[in-house]
Amino acid sequence: MRTLFSLFILLLSFKANAFTLNNTAKLVFTEDEVKVNVASGCTNIGITDAELLELVGKAVDNFWNKSPTSRLKLRKGSVINVDARFHSDSICTASTNCDPNPVLAVDSDILISCNLNATNFPSSSILGITIPNNIAGTRIVGSLVLINDKADTQFDTKSDDAKVAILAHEIGHAFGLGHSPVQDSLMYYATVSQRKALGRDDIDGISYLYPKQQPISGCGTVDMSGGKNGSWPGLFIGFSIIGLAEIYRKRKGSKQIQA
Ligand SMILES: [Zn+2]
């Protein structure tokens, strides 16, 4: 009987990851595709609801969807009508340990809404806050991103590129990441205003939460079958080679505190 001998060689990179999760539990969406919708009704952020949705599309495509090693694909959703309380209510019902406000539970996917609540935004420099607020076990059912829409918000003073980076940062929280202590990261607590790409730690984080499955036959397979005696009828060697490139950019610019 024909037998097969398989040898898999894995080149492992041992390193310490620096990313954090937004909860002690590993909360994730179970879907491979998650939409990011925008709630209609922004007033003070300097752009229309439709323009905000366009920036959301850039935030997912220019940042998270460029991660080569994660399965999660984020999609630009649509502008939707929501209950007025999404614009007025606090995201938490307790100020110390945040208990998500149940009336703002997001049914599915990610919702970005403007919000005027002073408890959410005690400072004009807090541009956005985010929490997965509809949880089933360790599964994220829906997440809410609130953008500071108060009259003194600093969101409207940002360039479109900076707004895209801010939205991408909040979306990172929405699918499960916390802050990174690595300054060259989108998930660093302060946003470098001209940031246009993920950092290494961002890719590590999304790939940890949403690992892409590598088909077992999808990498180089070499048939070294030889002879007819059946002693070594087949030798399959799978090489899984992970090439990691690091590009560190030193950028100067003003930093903006984000939640
Ligand atoms: Zn943050």
Side-chain angles (χ1 to χ4, degrees), residues 186-208:
L186 175 67
M187 295 312 294
Y188 189 61
Y189 72 94
T191 297
V192 178
S193 60
Q194 296 303 311
R195 183 154 199 91
K196 292 186 177 178
L198 294 177
R200 160 78 174 275
D201 202 53
D202 303 314
I203 295 173
D204 286 347
I206 189 174
S207 301
Y208 170 77

Side-chain angles (χ1 to χ4, degrees), residues 155 158-167 191-195:
F155 189 89
K158 305 301 176 186
S159 68
D160 277 1
D161 283 346
K163 287 173 180 163
V164 167
I166 293 162
L167 292 167
T191 297
V192 178
S193 60
Q194 296 303 311
R195 183 154 199 91

Side-chain angles (χ1 to χ4, degrees), residues 128-130 169-170 173 177-179 186-191 257-259:
I129 56 176
T130 300
H169 175 99
E170 298 302 331
H173 288 317
L177 286 176
H179 284 145
L186 175 67
M187 295 312 294
Y188 189 61
Y189 72 94
T191 297
I257 295 174
Q258 274 185 261

Side-chain angles (χ1 to χ4, degrees), residues 11-41:
L11 304 181
L12 301 178
S13 174
F14 294 97
K15 59 185 174 54
N17 291 314
F19 62 83
T20 65
L21 308 179
N22 67 2
N23 192 291
T24 53
K26 181 182 174 184
L27 302 178
V28 294
F29 284 100
T30 54
E31 300 87 350
D32 286 345
E33 287 199 7
V34 172
K35 285 185 298 184
V36 184
N37 296 307
V38 166
S40 65

